[in-house]
Amino acid sequence: MAEYAKRAEVTTSTMGHVHNPTGAGVPSTSQFAQAKALKISSKLSSPPSSPSRPRTDSFEKTSGSSRRNITRKKSETSHESSHKKQGGHGKASWSMKSKVIEETSKNIILDKRDPNYDSEDENLAGYVLTSEGGGAGSPPRYSYNPEFRKTVVGPSLTLAEFKIRIDTGLTEYFDSGDGEEMIRIFEETGCAEFGFHMVKKAIEKSFDRGDRERELVSKLLSLSYPSTLSTNTLGRGFERLFEHLDSYILDCPSSPSYITSFLARAVVDEIIPPSFLTDPMVSQLAPDILNGAIRLLSRDHAFSRISAVWGPGDGRPVADLKASMDMLLKEFLLSRELDEALRCVVELRSSLFLHELVKRGVRVSIEGGVEDVDAMSALFKFLVVESVLSKIQMRKGLDRCFSLLPDFLLDVPNADELLERVKTNAVRDGLLEEE
């Protein structure tokens, strides 16, 4: 270990001239080390600067430094940097040929052919980049075609944005019934690829509404074909309904029958071909609904029945509504089932027209005698208790009956006595106030 404690210094004498072709001796320090030592010695030899020493306009570094002597001078004028390249070899610099003009006293009208033109900026004052000798505005773009603005690759909205827009439009459509406006809202979205979702959303939104809204949805689908919605788009919308059928049943147990009626109505309106009902791929999604639609279409007078599949409460003429009232009143007098009669009256969705129901109920009951009059009085009481028939409608209906008493007497000689019995029962049940 002692002989390895200190190794001999590496010199020319020990290593030879292997690594030194010139044969000169290896210096102890390099020229970089010598320059650094010289710099340190020059700093130590110079006197320290005093804090109270006044600052001069210029100074020079000591001559012993390896760097070039630098002179810094104060300038009373602002520094002119317009001739600098400012990086990138001057390729991205601002040229003096362009200037920014502030327009505050007059309106600035941009070129309407510019793709960035905004009509809201016409009356706003601001900064406009122009060239010397030229006025404000964009240069003419002769290659610009306004039709290109309508060429969009893919939908212009996301599916979430499209759903919000369509949901709002359908709510307004159910209130107004304007199908042309609803189609315009859909076309303005620029999302023809999402047309199937409008079909799905419209039918889905009508589940918790009445027959009038369901009839409006059927009319909207028929109105949209073929200019807006194609057969493939409509079929895809029904397929989406079939895929979510389990969740619909939880919220609305009647949703399968509604979808079946919508599908049969679409076939009658000739917007979906009958072959759709026998498609093996679609049959795997909802076979019960397809079989139900086939049964509806196989009945006698199927087309006329399915055209009125949503009943009289869908905004149809008053004549159809009156015919439905006569039918349910006659069925009640035969069955005497109050719950079934209540359901039929609710499906009419004509709470302000129920005075016609009272008038027709009194007329059909006096033709049957005292028993039918008492049964009809029991129905009126049940409807008032269930908050379906208002006392105002009851009063209006009886007033109309008394005004038509001469006509009733022509058919029923004791019509006046039976009518008084109806009035007495109504007062007893609290439907009318005693006069």
Side-chain angles (χ1 to χ4, degrees):
M1 291 295 295
E3 60 184 359
Y4 296 103
K6 184 178 180 181
R7 299 181 60 183
E9 185 178 359
V10 179
T11 60
T12 306
S13 60
T14 58
M15 297 298 297
H17 302 285
V18 177
H19 298 288
N20 192 354
T22 61
V26 178
S28 60
T29 58
S30 63
Q31 56 181 347
F32 298 104
Q34 294 177 0
K36 186 175 182 180
L38 180 63
K39 180 179 179 180
I40 295 174
S41 62
S42 63
K43 288 184 179 181
L44 296 176
S45 61
S46 61
S49 59
S50 176
S52 61
R53 182 180 179 180
R55 184 177 178 179
T56 58
D57 291 345
S58 64
F59 67 93
E60 295 184 0
K61 299 190 69 174
T62 58
S63 59
S65 175
S66 61
R67 294 185 297 176
R68 183 183 300 175
N69 294 332
I70 301 175
T71 302
R72 298 180 180 176
K73 297 182 179 181
K74 287 186 177 180
S75 178
E76 298 180 357
T77 60
S78 60
H79 183 63
E80 179 65 33
S81 60
S82 60
H83 299 288
K84 288 186 176 182
K85 292 185 178 181
Q86 301 179 358
H89 299 283
K91 295 181 180 179
S93 61
W94 287 87
S95 175
M96 291 301 294
K97 296 182 180 181
S98 300
K99 61 182 180 178
V100 177
I101 302 176
E102 181 179 5
E103 295 284 351
T104 58
S105 60
K106 62 180 181 178
N107 296 332
I108 300 174
I109 302 177
L110 299 177
D111 188 0
K112 295 185 177 181
R113 295 176 296 176
D114 194 321
N116 297 323
Y117 168 75
D118 190 355
S119 60
E120 296 181 357
D121 295 337
E122 289 186 353
N123 299 324
L124 298 178
Y127 295 92
V128 180
L129 182 65
T130 61
S131 301
E132 285 187 349
S138 301
R141 288 172 169 81
Y142 299 105
S143 61
Y144 171 70
N145 189 347
E147 294 296 330
F148 292 163
R149 298 188 66 178
K150 299 181 181 179
T151 304
V152 181
V153 178
S156 58
L157 299 176
T158 63
L159 183 57
E161 295 172 342
F162 178 79
K163 288 180 178 180
I164 296 175
R165 191 80 62 86
I166 291 300
D167 185 74
T168 304
L170 288 173
T171 303
E172 296 177 355
Y173 172 61
F174 288 158
D175 294 336
S176 63
D178 190 353
E180 297 290 343
E181 178 66 16
M182 183 61 211
I183 294 176
R184 185 188 64 81
I185 292 174
F186 169 72
E187 292 178 348
E188 285 182 352
T189 60
C191 301
E193 295 84 351
F194 297 151
F196 69 92
H197 179 75
M198 187 181 75
V199 178
K200 169 182 171 291
K201 188 64 178 178
I203 297 177
E204 173 188 321
K205 200 175 181 65
S206 68
F207 287 163
D208 56 349
R209 294 178 179 262
D211 292 335
R212 174 183 175 274
E213 287 76 11
R214 287 187 275 272
E215 176 67 19
L216 288 176
V217 172
S218 296
K219 290 181 178 179
L220 176 64
L221 300 181
S222 180
L223 188 63
S224 303
Y225 176 83
S227 59
T228 305
L229 300 177
S230 63
T231 300
N232 293 333
T233 303
L234 292 167
R236 189 179 176 188
F238 277 100
E239 291 175 3
R240 293 295 181 272
L241 288 170
F242 300 158
E243 293 173 356
H244 296 82
L245 186 59
D246 294 338
S247 61
Y248 295 152
I249 295 176
L250 296 177
D251 298 332
C252 180
S254 302
S255 57
S257 62
Y258 291 152
I259 298 176
T260 302
S261 300
F262 274 115
L263 183 57
R265 176 67 179 272
V267 175
V268 170
D269 292 340
E270 297 181 356
I271 60 178
I272 285 185
S275 59
F276 181 81
L277 304 178
T278 57
D279 191 327
M281 296 298 295
V282 181
S283 300
Q284 297 178 2
L285 298 175
D288 296 337
I289 291 180
L290 296 181
N291 293 332
I294 293 174
R295 285 194 300 268
L296 290 177
L297 295 169
S298 301
R299 298 185 303 176
D300 295 337
H301 310 288
F303 277 34
S304 60
R305 290 184 177 183
I306 295 176
S307 298
V309 68
W310 302 121
D314 55 1
R316 296 181 184 275
V318 178
D320 296 344
L321 191 60
K322 291 179 179 180
S324 300
M325 288 180 178
D326 291 337
M327 185 178 297
L328 74 89
L329 290 172
K330 291 179 181 178
E331 289 180 356
F332 167 73
L333 292 177
L334 293 175
S335 63
R336 305 296 173 93
E337 294 182 1
L338 294 175
D339 293 335
E340 181 66 18
L342 174 64
R343 186 187 63 82
C344 295
V345 173
V346 171
E347 288 182 354
L348 294 177
R349 295 182 61 85
S350 303
S351 59
L352 300 179
F353 195 61
L354 291 184
H355 57 85
E356 182 71 21
L357 178 71
V358 175
K359 187 204 78 171
R360 291 180 174 273
V362 171
R363 181 165 188 171
V364 73
S365 64
I366 62 177
E367 294 177 355
V370 178
E371 293 182 358
D372 289 349
V373 168
D374 293 340
M376 192 60 63
S377 298
L379 175 62
F380 293 155
K381 178 183 177 180
F382 185 70
L383 294 177
V384 172
V385 171
E386 296 295 331
S387 301
V388 176
L389 176 64
S390 65
K391 294 182 180 180
I392 296 176
Q393 296 291 319
M394 184 68 187
R395 163 61 67 180
K396 187 182 294 186
L398 284 180
D399 291 343
R400 292 182 60 189
C401 290
F402 279 101
S403 64
L404 297 174
L405 183 57
D407 295 336
F408 293 169
L409 291 172
L410 295 177
D411 299 331
V412 181
N414 61 340
D416 53 348
E417 298 177 1
L418 296 175
L419 187 56
E420 285 293 336
R421 186 178 181 88
V422 173
K423 182 178 179 181
T424 302
N425 293 337
V427 173
R428 180 197 62 196
D429 296 335
L431 308 182
L432 297 177
E433 296 180 358
E434 290 191 38
E435 296 179 358

